[in-house]
């Protein structure tokens, strides 16, 4: 039995940001498992089975992937960005811990990818160039009160902040509350970046201040970055401004 | 004048984790600029000038790179990992903001890389699979009191934490104090991962608890990850344990 399970990150979208390590694993796989839009990023080829599933089915998807690897298949579970940041790796390990003890002997590897956070930051400059935090704003799997608590403490620590899943149609009010809280904690002048679908044809970047930010500037494909108190903007005559956080704190 | 400046991430070490986008930029560059060990990762070739400099010379290096790009050279500034995470991108933008106004019209791009944090996380499982923060433990450019304050607030927020530059020969005592503070704030049982030089021949991984951790387990090539209160360990009969943070908070 030579099955294995790789949990790979496809990067933010562009083929040019997918690592050779991940490309090699996809080329050797017999099965691709994941959320439909990500599975579709792996081209079909003879002998490759692509198992596309709906969003919010992470745990069933993880169990199916582990079962197939245990049966001797070479299974690549695909996530956008990095698999370890609000993506499939944790779901696989939850399923592994609760599942068949034999799964623990499987050959399992996590292959990192360029996360949405790093791609968004690079696209505008270096807003995450100093201490920062990364928070999933979805309250599907945690209480909203915890999100607010973390936002307050992150502001108090003066971290730059990267937010995943800022806003969905199912719960549009959460992000409005988060913006309100951040305006109170960080002030109206604080820089905020909306980076949508970086490196894809749908890419859209907006740099503004918390005072001018509105909830509609984000959707589920947007990575939001709020600067620290030291994050700065460099205006340029041509093109968009640059946003960066200096290395030093006076 | 067709000069440009790319600020690129070489990833943690292995060639297989360097993105095609970065490889293409390095192939088109006339000049490679950076800290000596990183510059040496770009093979010499006819016509390529490699400018290696010492550590802690980031600002002079950034100014030199901007000057060369303004003179029409195609300059790639290299960092290990991702250039936007405690690396050269912020130094370039500091030099840009304070320097010759003409530099603002330059063609400047930041090309992300697999950060040490993502590589270390993937290597052991998915300890950064839920909300986390990322702190540079070096007090070269910020007061130590700020580091302690951020550690306390991060523990209060129950973030997983990734630490860069945990310990240098010049200031070995800081990391000992950080461990002490974290033991008090998070308890002796909290999981900690020491991931040294991931994906290189010098790679060394250690998973332990805060209670059993000692300062000597880290050096400047080590990325340290401390779990949240929910971070879990999966024992395996063969090989190292897996460490992951679940997606849900009850």
């Amino acid at each position: 039995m030579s099955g294995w399970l790789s949990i790979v990150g496809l990067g933010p979208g562009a083929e040019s940001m997918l690592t050779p390590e991940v490309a090699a694993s996809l080329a050797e796989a017999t099965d691709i498992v994941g959320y439909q839009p990500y599975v579709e990023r792996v081209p079909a080829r003879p002998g490759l089975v692509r198992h596309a599933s709906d969003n919010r089915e992470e745990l069933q998807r993880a169990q199916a992937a582990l079962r197939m690897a245990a049966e001797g298949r070479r299974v690549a579970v695909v996530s956008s960005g990095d698999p370890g940041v609000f993506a499939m790796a944790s779901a696989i390990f939850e399923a592994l811990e609760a599942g068949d003890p034999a799964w623990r002997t499987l050959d399992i590897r996590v292959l990192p990818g360029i996360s949405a956070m790093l791609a968004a930051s690079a696209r505008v400059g270096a807003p995450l160039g100093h201490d920062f935090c990364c928070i999933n704003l979805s309250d599907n799997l945690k209480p909203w009160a915890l999100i607010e608590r973390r936002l307050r403490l992150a502001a108090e620590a003066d971290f730059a902040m990267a937010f995943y899943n800022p806003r969905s149609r199912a719960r549009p009010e959460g992000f409005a509350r988060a913006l309100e809280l951040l305006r109170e904690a960080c002030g109206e002048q604080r820089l905020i970046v909306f980076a949508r679908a970086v490196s894809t044809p749908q890419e859209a970047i907006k740099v503004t201040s918390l005072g001018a930010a509105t909830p509609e500037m984000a959707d589920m494909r947007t990575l939001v970055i709020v600067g620290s108190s030291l994050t700065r903007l460099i205006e340029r005559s041509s093109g968009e401004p640059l946003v960066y956080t200096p290395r030093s704190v006076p």
Side-chain angles (χ1 to χ4, degrees), chain A residues 56-98:
Chain A
R56 302 205 188 179
E57 294 186 2
E58 287 90 352
L59 215 53
Q60 298 92 309
R61 187 191 295 155
Q63 291 161 341
L66 286 158
R67 265 195 304 271
M68 285 191 285
E71 287 162 4
R73 311 282 298 172
R74 302 189 297 275
V75 182
V77 175
V78 294
S79 294
S80 177
D82 181 80
V85 177
F86 310 126
M88 281 303 296
S90 282
I92 295 278
F93 295 127
E94 288 171 34
L96 178 69
E97 190 177 14

Side-chain angles (χ1 to χ4, degrees), chain A residues 20-68:
Chain A
E21 178 182 70
V22 168
S25 186
L26 295 173
E28 289 164 17
T30 56
D31 297 80
I32 307 291
V33 173
Y35 177 43
Q36 184 175 346
Y38 307 148
V39 167
E40 282 168 2
R41 285 174 55 188
V42 184
R45 64 169 194 267
L48 180 70
V49 187
R50 299 189 298 172
H51 309 260
S53 47
D54 199 3
N55 215 344
R56 302 205 188 179
E57 294 186 2
E58 287 90 352
L59 215 53
Q60 298 92 309
R61 187 191 295 155
Q63 291 161 341
L66 286 158
R67 265 195 304 271
M68 285 191 285

